[in-house]
Amino acid sequence: MSFREHLQQVVKNVDGAVACALMGVDGIEVDSEVQEQVGLDLQTLLVEYSTLFRAAREAAEAHEAGGVTELSVQSERLLVVARLVSPEYFMVVALKPDGNFGKARFMLRVTAPKLLAEL
Amino acid sequence: MSFREHLQQVVKNVDGAVACALMGVDGIEVDSEVQEQVGLDLQTLLVEYSTLFRAAREAAEAHEAGGVTELSVQSERLLVVARLVSPEYFMVVALKPDGNFGKARFMLRVTAPKLLAEL
């Protein structure tokens, strides 16, 4: 399966998911599947959230909490869950606020190794 | 109930929870309950994570995703879940990596309004 097909599988299998992307930790998108526009500039937001991922990683490592494997941000109009795929890449799923958070985490957990195998 | 008693309730009711704190968004702790030392400087880490909360808020608001209500960071040795209590304060629970994430989110959701009532 291509990157895109894996991302499509995540969006398809998570209730409320609107998009899924594979991104570099530097904020540069590798590939993405956007199923539904939600009236905001999702890609720019994800670039900003990648800054959060880097900041969380630096803070956790500096304070001996180990490497960051997952980050989530719930806001009024969007829930974003990101999971590390490799030291350089993470995948992220964006959901409507009432989307299935648990299923999103599960799908990221099972899909990340599949993406890693193709990186 | 005092702030501390509410925080104790959260730690007591969430499997794997090691600490719960009420913090200013500026990173200054109001009160905390630490049940178990986990071999890292939790309070300093939480101060750094409060920076993440502010950064997530700025990014979400700038990109029309609305106010941030919850943030979580999973790292190899610690899972931290934070929830906004008021525009100036958030509460945070720290868990062992295999702690009950869902219960932590639930307890934060039901406890935040109780803390807000006493702020």
Side-chain angles (χ1 to χ4, degrees), chain B residues 35-101:
Chain B
Q35 181 170 291
E36 188 178 335
Q37 298 296 334
V38 282
L40 53 90
D41 185 350
L42 192 59
Q43 279 163 319
T44 311
L45 180 64
L46 294 185
V47 172
E48 294 230 27
Y49 279 179
S50 68
T51 309
L52 293 185
F53 206 101
R54 288 199 302 277
R57 180 148 81 171
E58 285 165 17
E61 289 178 354
H63 296 283
E64 302 183 353
V68 168
T69 52
E70 195 183 284
L71 178 79
S72 73
V73 182
Q74 169 98 57
S75 65
E76 286 160 351
R77 296 184 55 208
L78 200 70
L79 167 61
V80 173
V81 191
R83 187 181 177 90
L84 200 68
V85 172
S86 79
E88 302 300 322
Y89 297 96
F90 66 95
M91 59 184 301
V92 57
V93 57
L95 301 87
K96 295 177 188 174
D98 59 351
N100 190 334
F101 189 13

Side-chain angles (χ1 to χ4, degrees), chain A residues 34-105:
Chain A
V34 179
Q35 181 170 291
E36 188 179 334
Q37 298 297 334
V38 284
L40 54 89
D41 185 350
L42 191 59
Q43 279 163 321
T44 311
L45 180 64
L46 294 184
V47 171
E48 294 231 27
Y49 280 178
S50 69
T51 309
L52 293 184
F53 206 101
R54 288 199 301 277
R57 180 149 80 171
E58 285 165 18
E61 288 178 355
H63 296 283
E64 301 183 354
V68 168
T69 52
E70 194 185 285
L71 177 78
S72 73
V73 183
Q74 169 98 57
S75 66
E76 287 159 350
R77 296 185 53 209
L78 200 71
L79 168 61
V80 173
V81 191
R83 186 180 178 92
L84 200 69
V85 172
S86 79
E88 302 300 323
Y89 296 96
F90 65 95
M91 59 182 301
V92 56
V93 58
L95 302 87
K96 295 177 186 174
D98 58 352
N100 190 334
F101 188 14
K103 188 68 180 288
R105 295 182 75 217

Side-chain angles (χ1 to χ4, degrees), chain B residues 101-116:
Chain B
F101 189 13
K103 188 68 180 286
R105 295 182 75 216
F106 172 79
M107 285 301 294
L108 290 179
R109 189 164 63 78
V110 300
T111 309
K114 297 176 187 170
L115 288 180
L116 179 59

Side-chain angles (χ1 to χ4, degrees), chain B residues 19-31:
Chain B
C20 187
L22 175 64
M23 299 184 71
V25 174
D26 57 6
I28 297 173
E29 181 187 300
V30 178
D31 206 348

